[in-house]
Amino acid sequence: MKIVHTISKAKFKVSTPDVAGSELELDFNPIIEQFSLSGSFTLIHWQARPKGHREFGIYHSDNNSYRCLENTPKAYYGSVELLMLDDSQNNTIPSAVILHRGNLR
């Protein structure tokens, strides 16, 4: 189970208890700004660490929330777009997401 702390709008810290070096800082703002996202949307990404404990993470713009999907091998979410920042110009995580317009709940 992951622990999620909200830092600010679209920015979170995620950690896995008892796993050294597992803290991950997520900032969705560069993607939101680069692709001029507004209104209701959901961003899905594969967590960068810790290896062996990675999961999909989901950000909801409606309520500025982030959650982890534990042990979910398949997900069906309909129409999506793939968005990726230029890795040579960006150093934030995540740098690539799946965009779903609206809320997935």
Side-chain angles (χ1 to χ4, degrees):
M1 178 168 188
K2 306 264 176 130
I3 297 173
V4 177
H5 294 284
T6 302
I7 299 171
S8 61
K9 181 76 173 166
K11 196 170 183 178
F12 306 87
K13 277 194 180 178
V14 180
S15 61
T16 306
D18 303 323
V19 177
S22 71
E23 190 169 275
L24 181 63
E25 187 169 305
L26 302 167
D27 186 355
F28 292 94
N29 289 299
I31 289 173
I32 292 168
E33 292 166 12
Q34 173 74 32
F35 295 99
S36 302
L37 301 178
S38 62
S40 180
F41 62 89
T42 301
L43 300 176
I44 306 165
H45 77 106
W46 182 245
Q47 294 170 344
R49 63 177 168 270
K51 192 162 181 151
H53 298 273
R54 295 184 287 186
E55 302 167 338
F56 281 102
I58 298 181
Y59 170 71
H60 293 285
S61 67
D62 288 346
N63 58 0
N64 190 47
S65 68
Y66 180 84
R67 65 185 172 110
C68 305
L69 292 180
E70 298 178 23
N71 303 318
T72 306
K74 290 184 180 181
Y76 300 96
Y77 291 122
S79 180
V80 298
E81 295 175 57
L82 305 178
L83 305 178
M84 183 171 60
L85 297 174
D86 182 348
D87 276 344
S88 67
Q89 303 291 320
N90 182 67
N91 61 359
T92 60
I93 297 172
S95 59
V97 298
I98 299 169
L99 167 66
H100 179 274
R101 301 281 179 180
N103 196 320
L104 292 176
R105 294 175 204 244

